[in-house]
Amino acid sequence: MMRNSVSRIVLACASVTALAGRGCTSSLGTSRPVATAEAPAAAGAGVIRLPKASLDYIRTASVEDVSAALEFRETALSRVGAPVAGRVVSLAVKAGDRVRAGDPLLTMASPEAAAARTALAAARAALTEAQAAADREDRMMQAGVGIERERVEAQARLSEAQAEVERAEATAGLIGEGHGATLVMRSPIAGSVLGVRASVGSAVEPGGDPLIEIGDPSATWIVADVPARDVVTVAEGDAAELEFGASPAPLAGRVVSVGSVVSDALRTASVRVVLDAPPPGLRPGTFGRARIKTRVRATTLPSEAVLIRGGTETVVYVATADDTFERRSVVVGKPIDGRVQVVSGLGPGDRVVVSGALLLDGAAEQLL
């Protein structure tokens, strides 16, 4: 029985991949333990019922959806840290507060802030003096009583003063608003205060842990961990279906970004999905499942799970009960590194026999 589809569902999370891998490398290999097991019985066209004594020779793996989590977009999360060393004087927000861009978050006292502002004031005073000297030399040259060398020197001092003011303004700009040693830190984005890790009187240093974390709950997306072998079939614009425990019904979305980096530990890549209609109450950090439908239907199985009948038909066996297995015709690609891509014929939830398939079909050959 052949299942054709114009869309493909990215299948198999990391745990299922591990299970399939163990089946592929089991000590059974491609052997056919018929000598020690009872023969299977046909229960209909393409359906096999296996005696209980033979079930130990069969290993199945479920075709599953990928894990996913609701996260803030990069531009919707801000971790505010101290720009200079100092001490927290007061807090203007607490966790859960709504803030707008530019709202004050906390006030701190910093000798470094005072020094930067003093340097800026001195640089501006020096610039005013250098400008006056350069103007005086220009007037003297126009009156015919000036000296060219002194005019050039005055222009050079003016350029140096201008450069020093620009440097001092840049330093003071990084520090932020305030007067003297007082520094007011403001929210860079609009959103909710997710956490406050500072307290009045605490000493802070630049480069340390963020003092306040702000996120915009309206700007989130789903990050799905797709196995590296499947991510190549995912493209921007692909439809997706998301399931979360907090949502009574599946949610529709679309792929907006496909990660180009594969994690070393899980061998997965991040695929970001935006919900078409985010429901109220769904919080960042919520975990769920994602089913991504691509333009080509494909998943992968261990090569020993695929059998060849009659020299041309490729099939797998899907468990329909504990001791009953159904033959399923599939379309496969070229085996690579012990696994083969299944283009069509399987769906989410199918429990495919990944080890011992030859026990179910003695007339078939194994795909190597």
Side-chain angles (χ1 to χ4, degrees):
M1 179 171 58
M2 190 72 163
R3 291 186 180 177
N4 296 320
S5 176
V6 295
S7 65
R8 178 256 176 179
I9 302 176
V10 174
L11 307 164
C13 60
S15 61
V16 174
T17 303
L19 177 60
R22 289 193 297 271
C24 185
T25 57
S26 92
S27 60
L28 293 176
T30 59
S31 62
R32 300 164 62 179
V34 178
T36 59
E38 299 179 43
V47 178
I48 300 295
R49 180 171 290 112
L50 200 64
K52 291 183 178 181
S54 300
L55 291 178
D56 290 340
Y57 296 90
I58 299 296
R59 183 173 299 160
T60 63
S62 297
V63 177
E64 300 288 352
D65 307 330
V66 297
S67 60
L70 184 67
E71 297 182 4
F72 288 105
R73 301 188 193 185
E74 286 86 348
T75 57
L77 182 65
S78 178
R79 296 180 173 91
V80 182
V84 292
R87 191 174 298 277
V88 177
V89 175
S90 64
L91 292 170
V93 296
K94 63 182 182 298
D97 286 352
R98 293 284 300 181
V99 295
R100 295 171 297 180
D103 284 353
L105 301 176
L106 62 81
T107 301
M108 57 182 290
S110 170
E112 293 184 19
R117 290 165 180 151
T118 300
L120 176 58
R124 287 173 173 169
L127 175 60
T128 300
E129 181 180 350
Q131 184 68 62
D135 292 343
R136 183 174 60 253
E137 291 297 331
D138 288 340
R139 290 194 299 270
M140 292 176 65
M141 288 295 295
Q142 292 174 1
V145 294
I147 300 175
E148 179 64 20
R149 178 174 59 81
E150 293 180 354
R151 188 185 74 84
V152 172
E153 291 176 352
Q155 289 293 333
R157 288 192 294 272
L158 176 60
S159 297
E160 291 175 358
Q162 290 173 335
E164 180 60 23
V165 168
E166 292 176 359
R167 184 198 66 79
E169 286 178 341
T171 301
L174 291 175
I175 291 175
E177 298 180 7
H179 301 282
T182 300
L183 170 60
V184 179
M185 297 178 60
R186 298 183 178 275
S187 176
I189 64 172
S192 298
V193 178
L194 305 179
V196 178
R197 298 181 178 87
S199 58
V200 175
S202 60
V204 295
E205 294 284 343
D209 293 336
L211 304 180
I212 296 178
E213 190 174 43
I214 301 168
D216 183 1
S218 65
T220 56
W221 53 18
I222 311 299
V223 179
D225 296 324
V226 179
R229 62 179 180 269
D230 293 331
V231 75
V232 294
T233 64
V234 180
E236 293 182 10
D238 286 344
E241 187 176 88
L242 299 309
E243 295 181 359
F244 294 94
S247 177
L251 306 175
R254 69 184 187 280
V255 175
V256 295
S257 174
V258 181
S260 57
V261 178
V262 176
S263 67
D264 293 334
L266 299 178
R267 306 304 300 167
T268 59
S270 296
V271 173
R272 290 168 173 80
V273 178
V274 172
L275 293 175
D276 295 341
L282 195 59
R283 305 293 185 183
T286 303
F287 288 92
R289 308 292 298 175
R291 182 175 302 137
I292 303 173
K293 303 176 182 178
T294 65
R295 292 165 179 80
V296 178
R297 182 178 177 88
T299 189
T300 62
L301 293 172
S303 297
E304 65 176 300
V306 181
L307 303 180
I308 301 177
R309 290 177 56 86
T312 57
E313 183 187 12
T314 50
V315 301
V316 297
Y317 278 87
V318 177
T320 57
D322 290 342
D323 61 349
T324 306
F325 304 86
E326 177 189 53
R327 186 171 65 242
R328 188 81 57 78
S329 294
V330 293
V331 177
V332 300
K334 181 180 179 181
I336 299 177
D337 295 332
R339 299 190 71 86
V340 61
Q341 187 181 64
V342 181
V343 178
S344 66
L346 293 177
D350 286 343
R351 290 190 299 131
V352 181
V353 175
V354 295
S355 180
L358 282 175
L359 180 62
L360 300 171
D361 196 336
E365 298 178 356
Q366 198 162 53
L367 179 65
L368 300 179

